Amino acid sequence: MLNISSVSITFNEDTQDEKKALQDIDLTLDKGDFVTVIGSNGAGKSTLMNVISGSLKPDIGIVEIDNKNVTSIPEFKRSAFIGRVFQDPMAGTAPSMTIEENLAMAYARNKRRTLRTGVNKKRKLLFIEFLETLHLGLENRLTAKVGLLSGGERQALSLLMATFTEPNILLLDEHTAALDPSRAELITNLTGEVVDKFQLTTLMVTHNMQQALDLGNRLIMMDKGQIILEVSGKEKQELTIEKLLHEFQRIRGEQMANDRAILG
Ligand SMILES: Nc1ncnc2c1ncn2[C@@H]1O[C@H](COP(=O)(O)OP(=O)(O)OP(=O)(O)O)[C@@H](O)[C@H]1O
Ligand SMILES: [Mg+2]
């Protein structure tokens, strides 16, 4: 489904601020894989997401989706088969548009349909059906402006918009980080349900190690632009935060400098 080979990105090359954000990254995701991504600040997690979504082009290396080389395909053309939710609840939706208008916009991106944008009666029923799955009562607020929703509500809507078109790949970049614990838990649970329902191939960046352990069938740990640890299947099920921290120390010879990850 997704194949990344030998991808490197260096920012500000040959200057004092040179930063090797990704160094020779190889990663293959099979259809339905749900990979959680952890690593300290600046490890290269968001850069990896940007390379997959097409908002950044790698200096070296190839990105393939469904056996198609998309390395040079711009972000707006990839959006039909990639769904994305950002850390910032304000980023994924248009605040001055209503809930149904936002959904119609996302619906129009759907790779499997060629309908025009807009809201008709049949589609409205479909939107209501989808909103009901969130259990937030948003189905009764179709004409409410999205800017009036709470962060958690917006993030739930963003998740719905990113997924109800059944993208080939779902990218989640700390999409629960800005929410209070109970909302974060709600969105975490919704994520698990949605990914499961559509069998989406998913990469989820999180600072919350427990969340990284609870969700998904695979886990990768990044550090200094590299993938330093990959765990999957039964080994992942048996993983604990203590083991993860121990592994980091064993690989890097130092303690992980990230309180948020440990506490999270
Ligand atoms: N556009 C850019 N220009 C220059 N440097 C950048 C740019 N984008 C990212 N970087 C640098 O590349 C490194 C990796 O950044 P990235 O955002 O991928 O980290 P991250 O793992 O997502 O961190 P965080 O957990 O803080 O979100 C960082 O040192 C960052 O400062
Ligand atoms: Mg980031």
Side-chain angles (χ1 to χ4, degrees), residues 27 35-38 48 218-222 227 229-230:
L27 181 67
V35 183
T36 54
V37 184
I38 55 171
L48 179 63
R218 292 172 61 184
L219 175 146
I220 62 177
M221 185 190 260
M222 293 185 70
I227 294 174
L229 179 71
E230 283 199 66

Side-chain angles (χ1 to χ4, degrees), residues 11-12 19 21 40-47 174 207:
F11 292 111
N12 307 315
K19 185 86 217 176
S40 39
N41 294 119
K45 304 178 300 293
S46 295
T47 305
E174 296 195 60
H207 266 108

Side-chain angles (χ1 to χ4, degrees), residues 208-252:
N208 184 327
M209 284 199 176
Q210 194 58 53
Q211 191 186 37
L213 295 176
D214 292 343
L215 289 173
N217 63 322
R218 292 172 61 184
L219 175 146
I220 62 177
M221 185 190 260
M222 293 185 70
D223 186 49
K224 300 189 175 77
Q226 297 171 318
I227 294 174
I228 60 167
L229 179 71
E230 283 199 66
V231 186
S232 63
K234 191 157 182 291
E235 196 188 351
K236 177 170 184 299
Q237 283 168 17
E238 288 167 359
L239 206 55
T240 60
I241 294 178
E242 290 70 32
K243 278 189 201 166
L244 266 177
L245 294 173
H246 182 78
E247 272 300 292
F248 184 89
Q249 177 147 25
R250 188 183 62 77
I251 296 162
R252 282 311 201 201

Side-chain angles (χ1 to χ4, degrees), residues 144-195:
K145 292 260 195 294
V146 166
L148 300 175
L149 302 182
S150 74
E153 289 166 344
R154 284 186 73 156
Q155 221 46 349
L157 186 63
S158 297
L159 182 66
L160 187 65
M161 285 167 58
T163 53
F164 80 147
T165 56
E166 296 182 43
N168 299 40
I169 293 166
L170 176 63
L171 302 176
L172 307 168
D173 195 349
E174 296 195 60
H175 69 310
T176 64
L179 307 177
D180 65 58
S182 72
R183 286 294 178 216
E185 194 185 332
L186 173 93
I187 300 297
T188 301
N189 293 340
L190 275 175
T191 304
E193 282 170 27
V194 168
V195 169

